[in-house]
Amino acid sequence: MDWGMQNRLSRIIKPDTGRTVMLAVDHGYFLGPTTGLEKPGDVVRPLLPYADTLMPTRGVLRSCVDASADVPICLRVSGGTSILGDLANEGITVSMEDAIRLNVAAVALSVFVGSALEKQSLLSLAKLVDEGTQYGIPVLAVTAVGKDMVRDSRYIGLACRISAELGAAVVKTYYCDGFEKVVNDCPVPIVIAGGKKISEQDALILASNGIKSGAVGVDMGRNIFQSENPVAMIQAVRAVVHNDEAPDKAYDMYQTLAAEGSDKTPEPA
Ligand code: 5RP
């Protein structure tokens, strides 16, 4: 792997722990004004000091994130469909040149293995990897799961391995029973997707299970920004991911921080 790509990956997966807490705020690209993300700038600002990487769309990055923010960006570059259409019918929405202009550390695209459009999404992944390789930009493949697909280790393992085979540098996928095998069979690092909002306790258990099974971190959105106290929640997730904190201890931490009112925006240094 060339120096530039390695350097960008090291900004995302922190070398001191080999782990990462990515904050996903790209939901609007197919969901529109997602609950909790109506004002992305206001949501993201207090969370940024605790995010190892931010995953937005180009539009939100440009219009809502301070360009002086010291956070690596994993830019969502696939889309072209909405929740009202066929979600698998995505294409590449940002040129590599514009991604570079935005100084990204990585680009992200969804693949829809098992859908009627799997070939289209996998060829888009391969094309993006070719373009990224030219400039040292790693690609994160998001293994999206269609409505009719079972999220078991056989299916998730298939989607992760194919993504890695086509050149993804990191894979984002859903945790499932037997996840150790999914990790073992995938030659590149895996981050766990948060998925729909669940209780804070359950989300911390999910993150912990993923880490214990070998994931290098999380790429979590709704379970952070839809939390009662997002700033407390992201810190609790960090404790699980970077310090191997037990989920019950991390939940205690969440409650303590929430009671202290940790959702106040930190004063600039
Ligand atoms: C869709 C996505 C989402 O846009 C988002 O990144 C998911 O994050 P979360 O499930 O944690 O809310 O990846 O496939």
Side-chain angles (χ1 to χ4, degrees), residues 56-63 75-76 93-95 98-99 102:
T57 56
R58 166 168 64 182
V60 160
L61 181 64
R62 282 211 180 110
S63 55
L75 190 70
R76 160 67 67 176
T93 53
V94 181
S95 69
D98 205 35
L102 291 163

Side-chain angles (χ1 to χ4, degrees), residues 3 5 77 121 131 153 172 198 200 204 224 257:
W3 195 93
M5 189 167 295
V77 299
S121 69
E131 291 170 0
S153 59
K172 167 177 176 170
I198 49 181
E200 277 78 6
L204 292 166
I224 292 175
L257 289 168

